[in-house]
Amino acid sequence: MALRLYNTLTRRKDDFSPLDPERVRLYVCGPTVYDRAHIGNARPVIVFDVLFRLLRHLYGADHVVYARNITDIDDKIIDRAAERGITIRELTEGTARGFAEDVDALGCLRPTVEPRATDHIPEMIAVVERLVAGGHAYAPTEDGGAGHVLFAVGSMPDYGRLSNRTLDEMVAGARVEVAPYKRADGDFVLWKPSALHEPGWDSPWGRGRPGWHLECSAMSWKHLGETFDIHGGGLDLIFPHHENELAQSCCAFHRPVMAQVWMHNGFLQVEGQKMSKSLGNFVTIRDLLGTESFGGRRWPGEVLRLAMLRTHYRQPIDWTAKALEESERTLDRWYAAAEGVAPGEPAQGFLDELSDDLNTPGAIATLHGLMGESNTRGAGIASARLLGLLQAAPSDWAARREAEAGVDAAAVETLIAERLAARREKRWADSDRIRGELAALGVVLKDNKDGTTSWDVGRKGTA
């Protein structure tokens, strides 16, 4: 089956055909490094990591270039550094390092390139100069506009085609900055002046810094070219960020498109509510990995990953402790089934599902079948690894789960042997008592048809 992707720009699902099969190019908007990434930020990271893995499988690892930027200059960054009394570099370096550690724990491959905004100021200035020369941008000199350069949205007849809105609808639905030096309300900032205490760079329009939208146009141009294959990000970025990126790039380089395909993942809520610090349900990736703030426990990164992939990327997702528990039990079963099995090649049925607009729920359903049959487990392991799952050795996974639960494996085996003896001798009260002791330790038993008993680590107090 050919790879088919839903394109926000065309509003349909089409066969994907790269501009150059020898160099398939993917760009995804990355973090603004002023604070820890929350679990909603993890969704595009995981979704587009799966796409990156699939493209590498289809076209070869050496023929796919994945760029995910780091925004390290932004008003939020300036304000947060001032609040904490540290330099901007200290804030951005520490936050970027923490982000890398978090997404590594989620099983994500590192992108081919991770460009930083502050390393691409010359490219940003070059894009602005092109836009000014082409009549798509202007530098006001009166009414307080000195030092600014703005994109003239009226200069692009089809501005708004990505979000499918008219200019009036976009202005009405956005928090548009009202400024007397603007020619039109919808015009947006490409370059703005910096105060003496703010970071800034010399430019033809004076010392200043770039607007947010400009950064991605410059970085994608630098690393992927004037046009490329796929641009990804969250649904919330369609307008204004991606709409303005598209406008800048198309007008600067006189191209009909910036990216052939635009992909956007859906929103995330927590336990049925919008995630908000005021509601007390704001959860970072680090919280889930390293504290007991969600569901009363810590969670392995692979569990977070599987829980995220159980919902199709374009659909809204409800992040719940129940979904994490179910994902963990699934991984426990798959790792147990993978013990002593050599990986094979991904199953065709699995690839067909994944190639249908990253249908991860369908791919996971196929995986359940593959891991449930002994003669297909090799294909199941390879398929799971294409999703970024089952990367650890089964013994390492089991050891980690035992350690997390504080379980002494030798003691568990001794109790199971005692229980089996009690069952053979029909001492049912002793058998039930031992099962209860194991349940209190977080050990879940399964009595098999052949008379043996297998066990796994679950939640304490459950049988």
Side-chain angles (χ1 to χ4, degrees):
M1 179 177 180
L3 175 59
R4 292 172 59 80
L5 299 172
Y6 182 84
N7 188 351
T8 305
L9 187 63
T10 62
R11 287 162 185 79
R12 64 173 183 260
K13 187 164 60 176
D14 294 316
D15 289 349
F16 173 68
S17 178
L19 294 167
D20 179 3
E22 297 296 310
R23 191 169 183 263
V24 184
R25 289 161 288 170
L26 166 66
Y27 185 92
V28 176
C29 289
T32 299
V33 286
Y34 72 98
D35 204 351
R36 286 285 186 188
H38 57 68
I39 191 58
N41 300 139
R43 194 174 193 192
V45 174
I46 293 173
V47 164
F48 293 107
D49 178 69
V50 171
L51 178 59
F52 182 38
R53 290 170 180 271
L54 179 59
L55 291 172
R56 284 160 56 97
H57 178 79
L58 296 175
Y59 295 96
D62 295 336
H63 301 297
V64 181
V65 180
Y66 175 19
R68 186 183 66 213
N69 76 290
I70 293 175
T71 295
D72 59 352
I73 180 63
D74 174 91
D75 288 347
K76 291 180 180 178
I77 291 173
I78 296 171
D79 293 342
R80 182 60 54 86
E83 288 173 12
R84 293 178 56 183
I86 60 176
T87 67
I88 288 173
R89 176 55 64 91
E90 287 174 320
L91 175 65
T92 58
E93 288 295 329
T95 308
R97 190 162 50 248
F99 175 80
E101 293 167 355
D102 289 347
V103 298
D104 283 350
L106 295 175
C108 296
L109 300 173
R110 291 289 178 94
T112 314
V113 60
E114 288 186 276
R116 295 191 177 214
T118 54
D119 292 334
H120 295 77
I121 300 299
E123 288 81 8
M124 296 180 204
I125 291 173
V127 170
V128 176
E129 288 178 325
R130 283 171 172 260
L131 291 170
V132 171
H136 296 288
Y138 58 96
T141 57
E142 299 178 349
D143 298 323
H148 289 80
V149 183
L150 295 103
F151 184 90
V153 295
S155 71
M156 185 179 186
D158 57 353
Y159 180 79
R161 59 177 166 153
L162 181 64
S163 56
N164 198 29
R165 304 179 189 179
T166 65
L167 183 55
D168 287 342
E169 288 172 333
M170 286 186 282
V171 170
R175 289 177 291 180
V176 173
E177 179 186 2
V178 177
Y181 51 80
K182 282 188 174 185
R183 293 178 183 173
D185 289 340
D187 293 353
F188 59 87
V189 172
L190 298 169
W191 189 265
K192 58 185 175 182
S194 291
L196 291 176
H197 68 282
E198 295 174 332
W201 291 264
D202 291 334
S203 80
W205 315 282
R207 181 177 177 275
R209 62 186 190 274
W212 174 39
H213 314 304
L214 176 65
E215 297 175 3
C216 288
S217 285
M219 287 184 279
S220 62
W221 168 44
K222 171 73 173 182
H223 297 282
L224 303 182
E226 295 178 0
T227 59
F228 51 93
D229 296 298
I230 302 169
H231 194 315
L235 197 63
D236 57 314
L237 295 181
I238 295 177
F239 182 83
H241 186 48
H242 286 171
E243 190 74 73
N244 291 349
E245 272 189 61
L246 184 152
Q248 293 163 165
S249 294
C250 290
C251 291
F253 303 114
H254 308 289
R255 299 281 189 168
V257 295
M258 176 187 186
Q260 286 201 109
V261 180
W262 291 78
M263 297 177 65
H264 296 92
N265 61 271
F267 293 116
L268 178 145
Q269 60 182 13
V270 176
E271 299 287 3
Q273 293 182 302
K274 182 179 179 180
M275 187 166 58
S276 166
K277 289 184 178 179
S278 63
L279 294 175
N281 67 351
F282 186 87
V283 186
T284 68
I285 302 172
R286 185 59 56 93
D287 288 336
L288 291 160
L289 294 170
T291 73
E292 297 185 2
S293 62
F294 191 80
R297 54 162 301 185
R298 301 176 180 90
W299 301 96
E302 196 164 349
V303 170
L304 307 184
R305 186 181 183 94
L306 177 57
M308 194 73 77
L309 296 178
R310 291 172 8 140
T311 300
H312 191 274
Y313 80 91
R314 286 196 287 118
Q315 299 301 314
I317 185 172
D318 189 15
W319 192 255
T320 66
K322 180 180 178 182
L324 293 174
E325 291 166 2
E326 292 172 352
S327 297
E328 188 170 56
R329 287 194 291 269
T330 294
L331 286 168
D332 287 341
R333 289 194 300 271
W334 287 353
Y335 268 112
E339 182 68 51
V341 179
E345 292 294 324
Q348 189 58 52
F350 169 87
L351 290 172
D352 288 345
E353 293 287 355
L354 199 57
S355 296
D356 184 14
D357 193 32
L358 296 189
N359 181 15
T360 54
I364 290 168
T366 302
L367 264 179
H368 281 293
L370 293 169
M371 297 304 295
E373 300 293 334
S374 59
N375 63 328
T376 58
R377 284 175 188 163
I381 295 169
S383 299
R385 288 182 176 178
L386 191 51
L387 284 180
L389 303 169
L390 300 190
Q391 299 289 343
S395 58
D396 291 342
W397 176 264
R400 174 176 177 174
R401 297 281 281 115
E402 291 162 14
E404 287 171 349
V407 171
D408 183 333
V412 169
E413 293 290 353
T414 298
L415 286 170
I416 289 175
E418 292 176 3
R419 178 174 175 271
L420 286 173
R423 287 167 62 84
R424 285 194 298 271
E425 296 166 11
K426 298 185 179 180
R427 291 185 282 113
W428 307 119
D430 288 340
S431 173
D432 291 343
R433 174 182 54 78
I434 295 170
R435 186 183 188 100
E437 290 178 13
L438 290 166
L441 294 173
V443 174
V444 179
L445 301 180
K446 179 182 179 183
D447 293 318
N448 303 312
K449 293 180 180 179
D450 61 2
T452 62
T453 296
S454 54
W455 63 281
D456 210 335
V457 180
R459 298 290 298 277
K460 287 189 177 182
T462 63

